[in-house]
Amino acid sequence: LMPHMHLLGKDIELFATAPGGKERSLVRIPAWDYNWQEQYDLKEPVKLPKGTVLRVRATYDNSADNPLNPSSPPKVARLGEQTTDEMCFVFL
């Protein structure tokens, strides 16, 4: 699992919801750090039955209070490839 955001990211989590509604967290980074864009291996493999829905939840801080905000004053964040742009993915 490879969570990926840029400098405005605050936290990110990947959930799996199996048919029937049982939800579990597969990876959670409660204090995102841009330098942590690494691969996270599960201790035990997780079998996901057909019909499982994967959902990513992420929070951003585009305020002047975020010391990592690349824009001063803050400006609208847009999707893009540059570190000063923003994105949110979890590669599997």
Side-chain angles (χ1 to χ4, degrees):
L1 308 171
M2 295 177 64
H4 183 87
M5 295 192 298
H6 288 170
L7 298 172
L8 299 178
K10 296 305 283 181
D11 59 70
I12 188 167
E13 188 166 8
L14 174 66
F15 298 93
T17 304
K22 184 177 179 182
E23 181 177 79
R24 71 184 291 179
S25 176
L26 298 179
V27 64
R28 178 175 178 259
I29 302 174
W32 176 256
D33 184 315
Y34 178 75
N35 297 306
W36 295 351
Q37 296 183 76
E38 299 290 336
Q39 178 173 319
Y40 293 84
D41 296 322
L42 300 173
K43 288 182 181 179
E44 299 291 328
V46 174
K47 188 170 188 171
L48 301 175
K50 182 178 179 178
T52 297
V53 174
L54 299 174
R55 179 175 58 90
V56 177
R57 186 201 50 78
T59 306
Y60 296 93
D61 181 357
N62 191 22
S63 73
D65 293 332
N66 179 356
L68 298 177
N69 193 333
S71 301
S72 182
K75 64 179 184 178
V76 173
R78 303 216 184 271
L79 174 65
E81 298 288 325
Q82 301 302 312
T83 303
T84 54
D85 297 323
E86 201 47 75
M87 59 176 56
C88 174
F89 298 104
V90 177
F91 299 99
L92 306 172

